[in-house]
Amino acid sequence: MRLDEFLTLVRDRGEYHSKEEAEQVSTAVLWVIASCIAQEEAAGLASDLPAPLDEALRLERGRPETFGREEFLRRVAQQTGARPRTAEWDAGAVLSTLTEAVPDARVDRLLSDLPADCADLFGGPAPH
């Protein structure tokens, strides 16, 4: 998927005002994802995404961290400067777009690597 296609989907799903805002949110969510998955998995996911989104997954982070939905959303909120409820909306917009942008096998691995209680975020943004 091309960058403009990805960002248009995120913008529409997240109801953002611009592709720049969609890119900032996407980068923030991908950065948090990178902290939850193995470096090899992050590199694979990065290879499926257009630049510059892939860069958020290519940073050296050490070993994957394990945490739940609340911490996942707290970290997204910290990256975006948003409230946790807004971070849930942001994560849903990006994760649901990932399901269309990357192969199903990669989505399945992400679902197994991310907090189990985040699976609903892959189906679309939560209602406000």
Side-chain angles (χ1 to χ4, degrees):
M1 181 177 288
R2 293 186 338 254
L3 179 63
D4 64 324
E5 293 172 315
F6 189 96
L7 295 179
T8 296
L9 287 172
V10 172
R11 185 194 67 211
D12 292 348
R13 290 174 178 162
E15 299 177 7
Y16 305 114
H17 298 292
S18 67
K19 285 187 180 178
E20 291 76 22
E21 186 178 5
E23 183 174 348
Q24 291 170 343
V25 168
S26 297
T27 300
V29 173
L30 292 169
W31 190 90
V32 176
I33 288 171
S35 66
C36 302
I37 62 178
Q39 191 171 349
E40 305 80 42
E41 188 61 30
L45 180 57
S47 70
D48 291 330
L49 294 174
L53 297 177
D54 62 332
E55 293 171 14
L57 294 159
R58 297 189 190 276
L59 302 174
E60 291 289 327
R61 301 260 170 69
R63 299 173 70 171
E65 298 179 66
T66 303
F67 45 80
R69 179 188 183 104
E70 187 175 318
E71 178 63 12
F72 182 86
L73 295 175
R74 187 194 70 73
R75 290 179 184 209
V76 170
Q78 183 178 20
Q79 289 296 309
T80 61
R83 296 185 324 263
R85 184 70 177 139
T86 303
E88 183 175 29
W89 181 262
D90 294 340
V94 176
L95 293 175
S96 64
T97 301
L98 278 178
T99 65
E100 295 180 37
V102 303
D104 290 343
R106 179 107 37 229
V107 173
D108 291 342
R109 285 193 298 277
L110 272 176
L111 282 166
S112 68
D113 290 341
L114 293 178
D117 50 359
C118 285
D120 65 308
L121 298 173
F122 284 81
H128 283 315

